[in-house]
Amino acid sequence: MPEQKARIACLLSGNGTTMSALLFQSRLPDCPYDIVLVASNNPDAPGLKIAAAEGIATFSHDHRGMDRREHEKIMDAALRKSGAEYLALCGYMRILTADFVKGWEGRMVNTHPSLLPKYKGLDTHQRAIEAGEDYGGCSVHVVTPELDGGPLLGQMPVAILPADTPESLAHRVILAEYQLYPRMVADYVGRHYRADWLLEKVRELAMGLPEAEERESHGAPGWRSGGKSGKYFAYLSEKHHGEPHIGLLVKTGGPDEVADLAETAPETYYRPAYYGASGWVGIILNRPGVDWDHVAEWLERSWRSVAPKRLTKLHDAADEF
């Protein structure tokens, strides 16, 4: 559980029931996010009153009579002022421009009442029933400029009964959404603190280096280069020896550099048990705002310290083109 929770803003236009599902989830133990703002294009939206009663900051600005982009600028300014890192659409009945979506790329999520990619857009339940589907359902996805077309985070099927109408099916699908949306949002915004997600990020970067090979060492994932006689240039340490960190261990110039890094930037680096004395530093990964370009630079530097010269020469030559 991270010490600092992800900050989420919700956008809504109506009753705020989906927002409420996210809000009450945030009050449960170990939830990785807090809601810092509920914003609306409708100053009379009941969801704003619910949020205010629960002690959540609210903002509204009526879109009527305004240019779409000008309205989005006002909403965007309020969202950013709140410190929100992510946006959750909770029945926001406005089509967002590609520029707005791009400004929150990879950080905006939505729930849709169908099993995407089926039945994008409106009238999803009617269309599913008319098509003779056995199941309707809901999907949670990352928002992209393509309508209901972003990467899926999760889905929940809901059986269609013989006597179902669009209204009766919608009633059960919304109950499924109230379960699925908070769980998928929590998983998505909390992924940066999970060892499995961090391992995949490190693996992608490490295996992109010439002749890199992944091999476990003392129970930890490690990467080496140079074939059978190769040496390790990185390890992933998951809270080993009582440390609170999930860290990437990389080689430095020696113990003095390790001590300097750990002292001057303790929010980023630490001196790992046993390895620190040998000139390895730990880069803390389970924290907000990891600079993955910086991590990649450290991996390459560490790789260069152990890779055969033939590989570094080839790598440098490839970089020139």
Side-chain angles (χ1 to χ4, degrees):
M1 176 64 202
E3 294 182 5
Q4 181 176 332
K5 294 186 177 185
R7 299 183 296 275
I8 295 178
C10 297
L11 288 176
L12 56 80
S13 298
N15 290 327
T17 53
T18 308
M19 176 277 297
S20 297
L22 294 177
L23 170 61
F24 295 130
Q25 175 79 11
S26 75
R27 303 276 170 83
L28 294 176
D30 298 327
C31 184
Y33 68 80
D34 281 323
I35 295 177
V36 297
L37 180 71
V38 174
S40 180
N41 63 307
N42 175 13
D44 297 321
L48 293 173
K49 296 180 177 63
I50 293 172
E54 294 290 344
I56 306 299
T58 64
F59 175 83
S60 64
H61 196 92
D62 199 330
H63 69 277
R64 288 173 292 186
M66 289 194 67
D67 174 80
R68 185 179 300 276
R69 293 180 183 276
E70 288 303 314
H71 182 260
E72 286 185 348
K73 287 181 182 179
I74 293 171
M75 298 297 291
D76 188 67
L79 294 167
R80 295 187 185 281
K81 184 179 179 180
S82 75
E85 301 167 284
Y86 293 89
L87 300 186
L89 302 185
C90 300
Y92 190 61
M93 306 307 290
R94 296 283 290 164
I95 296 175
L96 298 169
T97 66
D99 286 342
F100 183 91
V101 173
K102 185 177 180 181
W104 292 90
E105 184 176 3
R107 298 183 293 135
M108 181 161 41
V109 293
N110 191 26
T111 177
H112 181 73
S114 78
L115 297 176
L116 293 172
K118 292 183 176 181
Y119 312 119
K120 298 179 181 181
L122 302 175
D123 302 319
T124 58
H125 308 306
Q126 179 74 40
R127 291 153 63 194
I129 291 171
E130 289 178 351
E133 300 279 6
D134 293 324
Y135 290 89
C138 55
S139 304
V140 177
H141 64 94
V142 179
V143 177
T144 63
E146 179 189 354
L147 178 65
D148 300 326
L152 287 172
L153 300 179
Q155 294 183 309
M156 187 176 292
V158 174
I160 297 177
L161 305 179
D164 259 335
T165 64
E167 293 73 23
S168 64
L169 178 57
H171 178 73
R172 296 199 307 284
V173 169
I174 194 66
L175 295 177
E177 284 187 303
Y178 294 159
Q179 303 300 313
L180 182 67
Y181 201 18
R183 176 68 64 86
M184 293 301 99
V185 169
D187 285 351
Y188 189 62
V189 304
R191 69 196 188 283
H192 303 94
Y193 303 97
R194 296 200 321 262
D196 60 334
W197 189 86
L198 293 169
L199 172 59
E200 287 302 317
K201 288 287 291 186
V202 171
R203 176 179 287 139
E204 180 183 359
L205 294 173
M207 294 302 292
L209 294 164
E211 291 191 17
E213 173 192 13
E214 183 172 340
R215 182 176 296 184
E216 189 174 285
S217 175
H218 301 289
W223 293 270
R224 47 185 275 175
S225 181
K228 292 182 179 179
S229 59
K231 297 180 180 179
Y232 283 93
F233 64 88
Y235 301 93
L236 187 74
S237 175
E238 185 181 351
K239 302 181 180 180
H240 285 177
H241 310 293
E243 295 164 341
H245 312 299
I246 300 175
L248 174 65
L249 308 189
V250 289
K251 293 177 70 68
T252 70
D256 289 343
E257 185 179 8
V258 173
D260 182 61
L261 289 167
E263 181 178 345
T264 58
E267 72 285 353
T268 303
Y269 302 102
Y270 69 100
R271 185 180 184 276
Y274 304 108
Y275 286 86
S278 302
W280 292 75
V281 73
I283 303 173
I284 302 170
L285 300 180
N286 57 332
R287 59 183 169 88
V290 172
D291 183 344
W292 286 99
D293 290 336
H294 181 66
V295 172
E297 291 169 2
W298 266 111
L299 278 168
E300 181 171 346
R301 173 184 167 181
S302 190
W303 170 82
R304 285 181 179 277
S305 71
V306 303
K309 289 186 177 179
R310 64 177 178 82
L311 290 181
T312 59
K313 289 180 179 179
L314 287 172
H315 188 55
D316 290 340
D319 285 343
E320 292 178 3
F321 290 95

